[in-house]
């Protein structure tokens, strides 16, 4: 049958109309995580220029927005309130000023943000004020207000980009009670990430009908603390087990990660930009629609290195007054050290660095014993003027000082776990004394986290590295010469992270149930550890910290050579 010209024209027009209703929308999602106060391209701790920083991230974000227009989503994943003196200054020194972390987020136009564990560590007064100053939604679906049973922050946020509906569900690692005093998170509890994610994915599907679902999780990929109640790092498990996520943007563990996992044909892009604003996660969502309905979806991801990008000069000008004020604060001289002290010395025996903190803890608390570990892998306070900025290398975190009641046996078992994570078992004089492994570059590194390598002061003891784990430590006496008794109760000083169960040395090592820790605490300092260290240096003026020489590795004929050999492998000649 032959079609009339008018019919042909109408069919062509209809066909053209139908084709016009099919389109592709491309959306770019950018994520920062674990910025830790690195807002400006200047390291206020070491008083030198810094790679990365939000000033460079801002340049990249502006360039992407210029290229992509409104089809950009900018997200932050928490742990922004602690790290550089920038944060300490506005959190505690000038708490009435607008929080710089909020001001930076607002200037850069973030669309949503989660809260991190180090944000919670600042305490209600700081993070509640910060959350009220941030103009974008603050997310935390599994952070529950115990008075209402509902999320303390918003559980999720919805965004529309060129007709595409995007849901962002925020989460926080629920292991907070393992690290932080309940006073810091009073009125809140923390639910399992995977279970909570499944609930909210179903909710947003039913009520919001999103085209794309993004998880914004302040939780690492996997591993970490796992108890009957808490799973610290659950991003990977959520990606695999919770159907509905297209992208999971995570953080917390400071490990850069770019992976697309395939679960029975369902693909999930998983990105972690590491820390300190050196990388940005970038996911590209390509949505194919017909008649306003999604008929196809493709998501890809990558990490963008912003360490050496140009800084955003407008950003720097905006915060010039704040930068000048913080620099004045950190540059103030507080005393003098006659010798350089180094954390690296702490791994091989008594060290002036570690023992300076031990002795302060004993002085402040009047405790019998002190536990302390080097909180930075390899930092030093150089001989000469000591400034406020140096205190952030001397003591990295805003921990309080605690005193706990412990039996002599618990003290011994605590140290056994610490040295088991720290030292290898030497079977011959040529074996390693340190428990090490090689990293992806072939370099030697500690197998476990060095900030859990606690030594003790107030007792004299030996660590026999030829013995197996659990049999290494022999406590000889109290350092004042009196007997050390396994059944006697002692007052033991430590930082609040450790006193609340951090590192599991008290729970798995000493065998104290986690829920019994609060009743063991008999002293909590009013201020953070760094404050007391600062006052100690200011009051003395000139100081010459020295090792206590209260413990050693044995047998000496093996360990002297092994220490020298492993020290060179870890730190070079």
């Amino acid at each position: 049958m032959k079609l009339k010209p008018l019919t042909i024209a109408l069919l062509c027009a209809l066909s053209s109309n139908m084709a016009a209703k099919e389109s592709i929308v491309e959306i770019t999602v950018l994520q920062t995580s674990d910025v830790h106060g690195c807002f400006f391209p200047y390291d206020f701790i070491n008083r030198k220029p810094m790679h990365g920083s939000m000033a460079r991230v801002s340049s990249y974000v502006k360039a992407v927005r210029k290229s992509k227009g409104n089809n950009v989503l900018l997200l932050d994943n928490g742990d922004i309130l602690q790290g550089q003196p920038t944060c300490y200054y506005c959190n505690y020194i000038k708490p009435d000023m607008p929080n710089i972390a909020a001001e930076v987020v607002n200037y850069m136009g973030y669309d949503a943000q989660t809260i991190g564990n180090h944000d919670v560590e600042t305490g209600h007064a700081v993070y509640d004020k910060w959350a009220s100053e941030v103009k974008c939604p603050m997310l935390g679906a599994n952070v529950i207000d115990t008075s209402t049973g509902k999320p303390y922050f918003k559980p999720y946020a919805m965004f529309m980009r060129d007709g595409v509906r995007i849901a962002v569900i925020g989460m926080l690692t629920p292991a907070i009670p393992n690290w932080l005093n309940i006073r810091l998170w009073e009125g809140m509890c923390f639910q399992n990430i995977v279970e909570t994610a499944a609930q909210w994915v179903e909710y947003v599907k039913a009520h919001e009908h999103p085209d794309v679902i993004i998880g914004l999780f302040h939780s690492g990929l996997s591993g970490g603390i796992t108890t009957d109640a808490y799973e610290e790092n659950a991003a990977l498990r959520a990606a695999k087990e919770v159907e509905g996520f297209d992208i999971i943007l995570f953080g917390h563990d400071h490990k850069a990660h770019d992976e697309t996992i395939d679960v029975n044909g369902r693909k999930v892009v998983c990105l972690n930009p590491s820390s300190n604003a050196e990388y940005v996660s970038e996911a590209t969502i390509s949505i194919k629609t017909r008649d306003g309905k999604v008929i196809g979806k493709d998501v890809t991801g990558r990490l963008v290195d912003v360490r050496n990008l140009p800084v955003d000069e407008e950003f720097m000008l905006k915060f010039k007054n704040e930068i000048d004020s913080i620099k004045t604060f950190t540059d103030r001289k507080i005393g003098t050290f006659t010798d350089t002290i180094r954390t690296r010395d702490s791994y091989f025996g008594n060290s002036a660095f570690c023992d300076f903190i031990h002795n302060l803890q004993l002085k402040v608390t009047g405790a019998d014993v002190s536990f302390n570990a080097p909180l930075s892998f390899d930092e030093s306070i150089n001989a000469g003027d000591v400034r406020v900025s140096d205190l952030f290398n001397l003591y990295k975190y805003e921990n309080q000082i605690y005193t706990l009641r412990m039996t002599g046996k618990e003290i011994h078992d605590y140290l056994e776990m610490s040295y088991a994570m720290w030292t290898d078992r030497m079977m011959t004089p040529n074996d390693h004394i340190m428990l090490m492994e090689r990293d992806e570059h072939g370099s030697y590194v500690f197998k476990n986290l060095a900030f859990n390598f606690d030594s003790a002061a107030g007792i004299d003891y030996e660590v026999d590295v030829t013995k197996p784990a659990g049999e290494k430590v022999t406590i000889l006496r109290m350092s004042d010469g009196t007997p050390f008794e396994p059944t006697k109760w002692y007052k033991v000083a430590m930082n609040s992270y450790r006193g609340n169960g951090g590192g599991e040395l008290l729970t798995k090592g000493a065998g104290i149930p986690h829920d019994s820790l609060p009743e063991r605490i008999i002293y909590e300092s009013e201020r953070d550890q760094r404050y007391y260290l600062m006052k100690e240096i200011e009051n003395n003026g000139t100081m010459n910290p020295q090792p206590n020489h209260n413990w050693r590795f044995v047998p000496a004929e093996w360990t002297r050579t092994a220490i020298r050999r492993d020290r060179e492998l870890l730190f070079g000649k």
Side-chain angles (χ1 to χ4, degrees), residues 297-406:
K297 181 167 48 177
D298 183 61
V299 184
T300 58
R302 64 174 186 146
L303 299 183
V304 180
D305 186 345
V306 299
R307 287 176 293 180
N308 296 304
L309 290 184
V311 301
D312 179 352
E313 296 298 343
E314 291 180 359
F315 178 99
M316 296 299 292
L317 185 61
K318 161 74 176 173
F319 294 104
K320 183 181 184 305
N321 291 339
E322 288 87 347
I323 292 169
D324 291 343
S325 297
I326 295 159
K327 200 168 186 301
T328 298
F329 165 66
T330 56
D331 284 352
R332 181 172 68 86
K333 178 184 173 181
I334 59 172
T336 303
F337 276 9
T338 58
D339 291 307
T340 298
I341 61 174
R342 300 178 177 85
T343 55
R344 64 170 64 176
D345 298 333
S346 308
Y347 310 119
F348 309 105
N350 282 108
S351 75
F353 195 107
C354 216
D355 290 346
F356 180 58
I357 297 167
H358 271 310
N359 295 338
L360 177 84
Q361 290 187 159
L362 292 171
K363 180 178 179 179
V364 169
T365 63
D368 305 305
V369 178
S370 168
F371 290 144
N372 180 54
L375 299 185
S376 300
F377 171 68
D378 188 22
E379 292 291 353
S380 61
I381 310 297
N382 293 325
D385 292 344
V386 178
R387 304 183 185 278
V388 170
S389 58
D390 293 311
L391 270 295
F392 292 81
N393 277 332
L394 184 61
Y395 208 85
K396 189 173 182 179
Y397 302 109
E398 278 93 76
N399 296 323
Q400 293 171 272
I401 306 174
Y402 277 14
T403 304
L404 275 70
R405 294 173 66 253
M406 296 179 68

Side-chain angles (χ1 to χ4, degrees), residues 313-521:
E313 296 298 343
E314 291 180 359
F315 178 99
M316 296 299 292
L317 185 61
K318 161 74 176 173
F319 294 104
K320 183 181 184 305
N321 291 339
E322 288 87 347
I323 292 169
D324 291 343
S325 297
I326 295 159
K327 200 168 186 301
T328 298
F329 165 66
T330 56
D331 284 352
R332 181 172 68 86
K333 178 184 173 181
I334 59 172
T336 303
F337 276 9
T338 58
D339 291 307
T340 298
I341 61 174
R342 300 178 177 85
T343 55
R344 64 170 64 176
D345 298 333
S346 308
Y347 310 119
F348 309 105
N350 282 108
S351 75
F353 195 107
C354 216
D355 290 346
F356 180 58
I357 297 167
H358 271 310
N359 295 338
L360 177 84
Q361 290 187 159
L362 292 171
K363 180 178 179 179
V364 169
T365 63
D368 305 305
V369 178
S370 168
F371 290 144
N372 180 54
L375 299 185
S376 300
F377 171 68
D378 188 22
E379 292 291 353
S380 61
I381 310 297
N382 293 325
D385 292 344
V386 178
R387 304 183 185 278
V388 170
S389 58
D390 293 311
L391 270 295
F392 292 81
N393 277 332
L394 184 61
Y395 208 85
K396 189 173 182 179
Y397 302 109
E398 278 93 76
N399 296 323
Q400 293 171 272
I401 306 174
Y402 277 14
T403 304
L404 275 70
R405 294 173 66 253
M406 296 179 68
T407 66
K409 182 179 185 306
E410 288 169 344
I411 290 169
H412 172 270
D413 292 349
Y414 178 110
L415 289 173
E416 285 285 6
M417 179 175 173
S418 175
Y419 283 96
M421 292 192 293
W422 175 355
T423 62
D424 207 349
R425 184 181 185 185
M426 295 184 68
M427 306 299 290
T428 75
N430 296 320
D431 291 334
H432 293 298
I433 186 171
M434 299 286 105
L435 188 57
M436 301 183 295
E437 61 186 7
R438 289 182 184 269
D439 64 14
E440 64 271 22
H441 306 295
S443 301
Y444 280 95
V445 295
F446 283 117
K447 187 173 182 178
N448 296 305
L449 297 168
F451 60 71
N452 286 325
F453 296 175
D454 273 25
S455 61
I459 53 176
D460 293 349
Y461 63 99
E462 294 178 338
V463 181
D464 189 337
V465 294
T466 67
K467 297 294 177 66
E471 300 177 20
K472 293 176 181 287
V473 178
T474 301
I475 301 176
L476 306 171
R477 65 188 74 84
M478 301 299 294
S479 291
D480 64 6
T482 58
F484 177 83
E485 302 175 27
T487 58
K488 184 176 178 178
W489 287 93
Y490 294 94
K491 295 180 292 183
V492 184
M494 62 192 74
N495 67 40
S496 54
Y497 169 80
R498 193 71 79 228
N500 289 310
E504 302 182 291
L505 291 169
L506 285 170
T507 51
K508 287 187 176 179
I512 303 171
H514 191 271
D515 59 7
S516 298
L517 292 179
E519 65 194 45
R520 296 292 193 101
I521 300 168

Side-chain angles (χ1 to χ4, degrees), residues 233-254:
N233 297 322
L236 182 61
R237 198 159 76 83
K240 289 181 176 180
E241 297 180 19
V242 182
E243 188 170 348
F245 285 112
D246 298 288
I247 306 169
I248 288 185
L249 304 172
F250 65 103
H252 178 60
D253 59 10
H254 294 197

